[in-house]
Amino acid sequence: MENFTFYAPTYFAFGKDTENETGKYIKKFGGTKVLIHYGGGSVIRSGLLDQVKEALIKENLSYVELGGVKPNPRSGLVYEGIDICKKEKVDFILAVGGGSAIDSAKAIAAGAVYDGDFWDYYQGKVVEKALPIGTILTISAAGSEGSADSVITNENGMFKRATSGEALRPKFSILNPALTQTLSKYQTACGITDILAHLYERYFTNTEEVEVTDRMIEGLMMTMVHEGPRVIADPDNYQARANIMWAGMMAHNNSCGVGRSQDWTSHDIEHELSALYDCAHGAGLAVTMPAVMIYNMEHNVMRFAQVACRVWGCEMDFNHPEETAKAGIQAFRQFLISIGMPKNFEELGAKEEDIEKLAHTACYGDVKAGTLGGFVTLNEKDVVNIYRLML
Amino acid sequence: MENFTFYAPTYFAFGKDTENETGKYIKKFGGTKVLIHYGGGSVIRSGLLDQVKEALIKENLSYVELGGVKPNPRSGLVYEGIDICKKEKVDFILAVGGGSAIDSAKAIAAGAVYDGDFWDYYQGKVVEKALPIGTILTISAAGSEGSADSVITNENGMFKRATSGEALRPKFSILNPALTQTLSKYQTACGITDILAHLYERYFTNTEEVEVTDRMIEGLMMTMVHEGPRVIADPDNYQARANIMWAGMMAHNNSCGVGRSQDWTSHDIEHELSALYDCAHGAGLAVTMPAVMIYNMEHNVMRFAQVACRVWGCEMDFNHPEETAKAGIQAFRQFLISIGMPKNFEELGAKEEDIEKLAHTACYGDVKAGTLGGFVTLNEKDVVNIYRLML
């Protein structure tokens, strides 16, 4: 284990009807004038938005609204949100939705107290301050409800970039598993995939002696392997959704990723796919991850064999550990297919002729340095090969 | 899973030499006049105390000192600490040591801003406010570095009582695994036992559908089973100590205990032993836990079988799950013996003739209600039977 710091001061209210206390939590963390930030129709149709407004009115909080966040949230709406915050003297941002609404809210929160262009933060500038944020989570996936991270798609070129900063960590997050019950099976499966990706990206480390975080990651993975198919079979299964919801937060608040190098190759390679084709991030990851794993497997066969045995129930082949490693990747891929995820470029809606461009943007786009990967360092040629494995 | 709230806003600085930044962290959390609170000779002999003072001086912080915390920390020193804080206008308490120093610091922190007797808080009064606390941990065991809990022995009758309150959660905790290298094998093993106890007490639940927290607990248990013997064999193994240290914090910050009923029977029964005989808490738990498990096993055989298979590598006996359950308890007991823990009353220094008194105090002492247990409700007679199993 390497030295690290860890600080995760988000207040979680978990369970049925917890969204009715939203106003109370906003007051607890000092908000008086709120921007409610959300996506499309589902939070309106389900009545959640009205319910939230009522909870704010109950506590005498005033608010303005900005809906319209799309999956793979975009810079344009962020600028709009920042303008509203400055004009209306908003002092608290409430995101209602999934990772997209939350990530967009984080970008607005940082931009609202910054004189420059908020995109600076997505090009390497450190986020030092931001308006306080609260969230009401409606999709278990991104882990943004408990993380300091945000990913935004720049509409000027359609590429995704991430930022991170303690000021972006939500003050509170309301996690009611029942609110995820309206999701389609496909959206639910995308979330499951994203959560597993957050675990795998931490699992692929070059740091030795990381038993505690390995075991925590494996435990969270096994939770997803157990609960994922249950919730796909029965979308109304509150308990399965509850287990997934807490696992999704724990997968990304980094308590299981401390003191070890991490990877994020699959996220970097996937981001180009969802930015260009506007596919769901989870669906993109389902296609990307097995390809990255196959490509990187030889770097540390025993690590792949370990997850194969501990999580996927493979038997260790002591004479041919690479066979065990492969069996684990195969089991993971089959799992993704079984919950309804796409398995190749075609099913994702991606095009072979874009591969060179995708690889170039992944490695050189915007402020990138020409390589990516925290487990294996990959150059543009490697990334082309990985995209080809997805065909 | 049941509804819950979770809030763990402690800043952790983990790794080598992190204690040299103590002054910086105290300032970050608003301290100006510090009470350094510690135990006996070891922090003086090792040079840690001088090093910490230097770190405070470097940041122009003034301080007063109160040493002398004993294992199973006592009310007398708490009163002394409260007087010092009030007289010297202390605004930050720094605990240097293990759970005893930290728990004592928490009691002082609460008492220093309260006009009544601090013991009120250990008799059920809710802790609403306290001075801010920081810790430099030297023993992986109690988990007090990341928890809202404190346990104190009342010298007026020699019984232990616990309190809990968000205000008691440390603002920061410095976790340098190297600082635990000076511990004896026995102290180290006591810590390992305490950490396993915190996990088992959460594992024994009556809440159904708790896969995510089950898996997290099991992962942390497996970490202890793997790293425990390594550190006993080689006390200088920094990496094993690092894994144990993070597992010890995670075991008790309650992220793996949320949304489920918990037990704490073993702690309640043990507290009478360490209060009366002044044995190490971990050693008392090593004798108590297997007895409680044997006594409670029939309440939920499958839960005992699950931990036996998932953590202790037992094979499931589908015709006789109770045999699997027993094998898991036996494996745990053998593990404790293998790391040097006592196995019965005699080895602990406890006396058969005290059993009636111990059971009575455990059930009726101070403000207790006559029964204990969150998994199985136990009365005085049950507790007598459990103590008898330890003979």
Side-chain angles (χ1 to χ4, degrees), chain A residues 24-218:
Chain A
K24 198 183 80 181
Y25 294 122
I26 291 173
K27 273 177 130 169
K28 180 182 165 89
F29 291 101
T32 60
K33 177 75 179 274
V34 183
L35 171 67
I36 307 177
H37 193 44
Y38 56 93
S42 71
V43 299
I44 299 169
R45 279 194 308 276
S46 69
L48 176 59
L49 193 63
D50 284 340
Q51 205 182 335
V52 168
K53 288 178 188 171
E54 210 173 287
L56 266 58
I57 292 165
K58 200 170 67 182
E59 297 291 338
N60 299 312
L61 291 163
S62 66
Y63 60 83
V64 288
E65 291 178 52
L66 179 64
V69 183
K70 290 184 181 156
N72 308 313
R74 298 177 182 195
S75 49
L77 199 69
V78 172
Y79 289 113
E80 211 176 311
I82 293 169
D83 285 347
I84 294 173
C85 287
K86 289 182 173 173
K87 206 172 81 189
E88 300 280 346
K89 302 200 188 316
V90 163
D91 61 14
F92 197 97
I93 302 187
L94 176 69
V96 184
S100 298
I102 300 173
D103 281 9
S104 183
K106 287 176 176 177
I108 294 170
V113 291
Y114 177 53
D115 288 333
D117 182 346
F118 92 91
W119 191 253
D120 295 348
Y121 293 126
Y122 293 75
Q123 289 194 301
K125 187 178 164 68
V126 178
V127 182
E128 299 274 4
K129 58 179 184 167
L131 290 180
I133 300 156
T135 87
I136 300 175
L137 187 65
T138 62
I139 310 176
S140 300
S144 192
E145 67 276 14
S147 85
D149 309 323
S150 165
V151 180
I152 298 290
T153 298
N154 193 323
E155 282 168 310
N156 191 7
M158 293 311 279
F159 50 88
K160 272 186 168 181
R161 290 296 176 264
T163 192
S164 193
E166 285 308 325
L168 299 180
R169 221 178 260 272
K171 298 297 175 200
F172 70 82
S173 282
I174 290 173
L175 274 52
N176 177 356
L179 296 180
T180 72
Q181 282 174 216
T182 55
L183 290 173
S184 71
K185 287 190 184 194
Y186 183 77
Q187 288 171 305
T188 303
C190 285
I192 291 166
T193 307
D194 197 16
I195 293 168
L196 279 166
H198 294 157
L199 295 165
Y200 267 117
E201 301 272 35
R202 289 179 166 87
Y203 201 76
F204 294 131
T205 186
N206 293 318
T207 312
E208 294 183 353
E209 301 270 16
V210 288
E211 184 75 2
V212 64
T213 40
D214 269 5
R215 290 289 189 185
M216 287 169 65
I217 293 170
E218 290 157 2

Side-chain angles (χ1 to χ4, degrees), chain A residues 136-309:
Chain A
I136 300 175
L137 187 65
T138 62
I139 310 176
S140 300
S144 192
E145 67 276 14
S147 85
D149 309 323
S150 165
V151 180
I152 298 290
T153 298
N154 193 323
E155 282 168 310
N156 191 7
M158 293 311 279
F159 50 88
K160 272 186 168 181
R161 290 296 176 264
T163 192
S164 193
E166 285 308 325
L168 299 180
R169 221 178 260 272
K171 298 297 175 200
F172 70 82
S173 282
I174 290 173
L175 274 52
N176 177 356
L179 296 180
T180 72
Q181 282 174 216
T182 55
L183 290 173
S184 71
K185 287 190 184 194
Y186 183 77
Q187 288 171 305
T188 303
C190 285
I192 291 166
T193 307
D194 197 16
I195 293 168
L196 279 166
H198 294 157
L199 295 165
Y200 267 117
E201 301 272 35
R202 289 179 166 87
Y203 201 76
F204 294 131
T205 186
N206 293 318
T207 312
E208 294 183 353
E209 301 270 16
V210 288
E211 184 75 2
V212 64
T213 40
D214 269 5
R215 290 289 189 185
M216 287 169 65
I217 293 170
E218 290 157 2
L220 294 166
M221 283 181 173
M222 283 185 273
T223 304
M224 300 308 297
V225 173
H226 181 257
E227 302 291 4
R230 292 179 76 211
V231 79
I232 296 298
D234 175 15
D236 290 334
N237 188 329
Y238 175 88
Q239 292 296 347
R241 288 195 180 273
N243 280 284
I244 288 171
M245 203 164 209
W246 193 241
M249 193 290 288
M250 289 300 303
H252 205 47
N253 86 340
N254 209 33
S255 54
C256 67
V258 290
R260 54 194 286 154
S261 76
Q262 303 183 2
D263 194 9
W264 304 97
T265 295
S266 292
H267 271 72
D268 279 347
I269 290 180
E270 191 291 315
H271 280 167
E272 304 311 326
L273 297 172
S274 48
L276 188 63
Y277 306 113
D278 209 20
C279 59
H281 173 53
L285 285 168
V287 176
T288 305
M289 279 195 292
V292 170
M293 289 181 193
I294 291 290
Y295 199 79
N296 283 348
M297 197 190 86
E298 292 214 340
H299 177 66
N300 188 342
V301 167
M302 293 308 280
R303 182 142 284 273
F304 283 87
Q306 179 178 296
V307 71
C309 293

Side-chain angles (χ1 to χ4, degrees), chain A residues 1 3-7 11-12 14-16 209 211-212 215 219 222 227 230 239 243 246 255, chain B residues 1 3-7 11-12 14-16 209 211-212 215-216 219 222 227 230 239 243 246 255:
Chain A
M1 273 167 95
N3 280 18
F4 65 84
T5 61
F6 178 76
Y7 187 48
Y11 186 100
F12 294 98
F14 189 103
K16 287 171 186 160
E209 301 270 16
E211 184 75 2
V212 64
R215 290 289 189 185
M222 283 185 273
E227 302 291 4
R230 292 179 76 211
Q239 292 296 347
N243 280 284
W246 193 241
S255 54
Chain B
M1 271 168 94
N3 280 18
F4 64 84
T5 60
F6 178 76
Y7 187 47
Y11 186 100
F12 294 98
F14 188 104
K16 288 172 185 160
E209 300 271 16
E211 183 76 1
V212 63
R215 290 290 189 181
M216 287 169 65
M222 283 186 272
E227 301 293 4
R230 291 178 78 211
Q239 292 295 349
N243 279 285
W246 193 241
S255 53

Side-chain angles (χ1 to χ4, degrees), chain B residues 186-206:
Chain B
Y186 183 77
Q187 288 170 306
T188 303
C190 286
I192 291 166
T193 307
D194 197 16
I195 293 168
L196 279 165
H198 294 157
L199 294 165
Y200 267 115
E201 301 271 36
R202 289 178 166 85
Y203 201 77
F204 293 131
T205 185
N206 294 319

